[in-house]
Amino acid sequence: MMKTIELQKQKIYCGNLMLVNAKYPLKTDDVSNLIPADMRFPDILMKRDAANVLQLIIEKLSAEKSIIPVSGYRTLREQTDIYFTSLKDNGEDFTQKYVALPDHSEHQTGLAIDLGLNKKEIDFICPDFPYDGICNEFRKTAPNYGFIERYKKDKEEITGISHEPWHFRYVGYPHSKIMTEMGLSLEEYTEFIKSYRDDCRFVYRQSLDARVEIYYIPANKEITFISMPDNCVYQTSGNNIDGFIITVWRKNDD
């Protein structure tokens, strides 16, 4: 049996896979489902799913005393204040490299987190998160649970942001794993998935018994309709540009 799913056009601008950068600004101000990324820091917030997964990784690595959240969700006003304060204190060159323009920051989505090595003094803009020790263990483990290191050194021309070893973005599994295995930034992954449609899906073998099917569907003017089997688990996400990324979990004998 099949069911029909309706996707409203405004949903293009919502979801774990939304691309927010200098070219594609944030177009929604959804502050629902925000919770502390770490209960010890109640003012540092993330979307509920992202916060729960972050804590799962931290607990798995027994990193509660070593890794702390530095910056999570920001309002438009907070991002504006940070941007212009950095311009004043650090200059234009530094700010353009490390601070996104208001409404062009992933921090306003609630899906991004800056992490730092727990030290006496922590730089709010560029916290220390090295490529060794517990920080690198987090970096290697994160894609298995839905997080990616968002701004890598070899992707600066694509992302428009300088290398930020401390900035992680929740995109959900298995997208995080696919991006990491294929060496793709979120920008590149967004374009990559556009080549897969309902009749020709990208297939990720999750295990011997299960697979994940991923495809893109362009948005219609008002409502986009997709058909989905009754017995499957699926997720939809807008790409913040022009359509939706559909993720379907299936058994290999389906």
Side-chain angles (χ1 to χ4, degrees), residues 96-127:
Q96 287 181 347
K97 288 180 179 178
Y98 295 109
V99 185
L101 284 164
D103 276 340
H104 293 264
S105 171
E106 286 197 329
H107 284 284
Q108 289 179 245
T109 68
L111 297 168
I113 189 76
D114 290 346
L115 299 173
L117 193 60
N118 193 3
K119 338 183 346 184
K120 186 175 181 180
E121 294 186 4
I122 298 175
D123 187 323
F124 178 77
I125 300 295
C126 301

Side-chain angles (χ1 to χ4, degrees), residues 15-185:
N16 294 338
L17 288 165
M18 58 188 299
L19 175 63
V20 175
N21 59 18
K23 186 175 180 180
Y24 300 109
L26 186 71
K27 296 186 178 180
T28 61
D29 189 21
D30 180 11
V31 294
S32 62
N33 295 319
L34 289 170
I35 65 170
D38 185 321
M39 294 306 296
R40 297 171 299 171
F41 303 87
D43 294 332
I44 301 178
L45 306 177
M46 293 190 79
K47 290 283 188 179
R48 182 179 300 274
D49 288 351
N52 288 339
V53 172
L54 177 65
Q55 280 308 301
L56 178 67
I57 301 170
I58 295 292
E59 290 170 11
K60 177 181 176 61
L61 297 174
S62 299
E64 296 91 339
K65 294 182 179 179
S66 305
I67 296 173
I68 61 171
V70 176
S71 182
Y73 169 75
R74 299 173 189 165
T75 65
L76 172 59
R77 181 173 181 176
E78 287 171 330
Q79 185 64 28
T80 302
D81 288 346
I82 290 168
Y83 183 83
F84 285 104
T85 298
S86 181
L87 277 177
K88 179 181 177 181
D89 295 346
N90 304 311
E92 184 175 355
D93 184 59
F94 176 93
T95 302
Q96 287 181 347
K97 288 180 179 178
Y98 295 109
V99 185
L101 284 164
D103 276 340
H104 293 264
S105 171
E106 286 197 329
H107 284 284
Q108 289 179 245
T109 68
L111 297 168
I113 189 76
D114 290 346
L115 299 173
L117 193 60
N118 193 3
K119 338 183 346 184
K120 186 175 181 180
E121 294 186 4
I122 298 175
D123 187 323
F124 178 77
I125 300 295
C126 301
D128 187 21
F129 205 78
Y131 284 90
D132 57 23
I134 192 64
C135 294
N136 213 41
E137 285 301 310
F138 178 93
R139 187 177 282 108
K140 291 189 295 183
T141 303
N144 296 326
Y145 294 88
F147 276 92
I148 59 170
E149 181 185 339
R150 178 68 173 94
Y151 301 119
K152 293 190 174 182
K153 188 173 183 179
D154 60 345
K155 302 293 183 180
E156 293 172 327
E157 290 187 5
I158 297 168
T159 64
I161 297 290
S162 288
H163 182 210
E164 294 190 356
W166 56 84
H167 182 106
F168 292 85
R169 162 68 190 270
Y170 183 72
V171 294
Y173 183 91
H175 306 284
S176 53
K177 192 71 172 176
I178 297 167
M179 289 184 214
T180 302
E181 289 177 353
M182 298 184 69
L184 300 177
S185 64

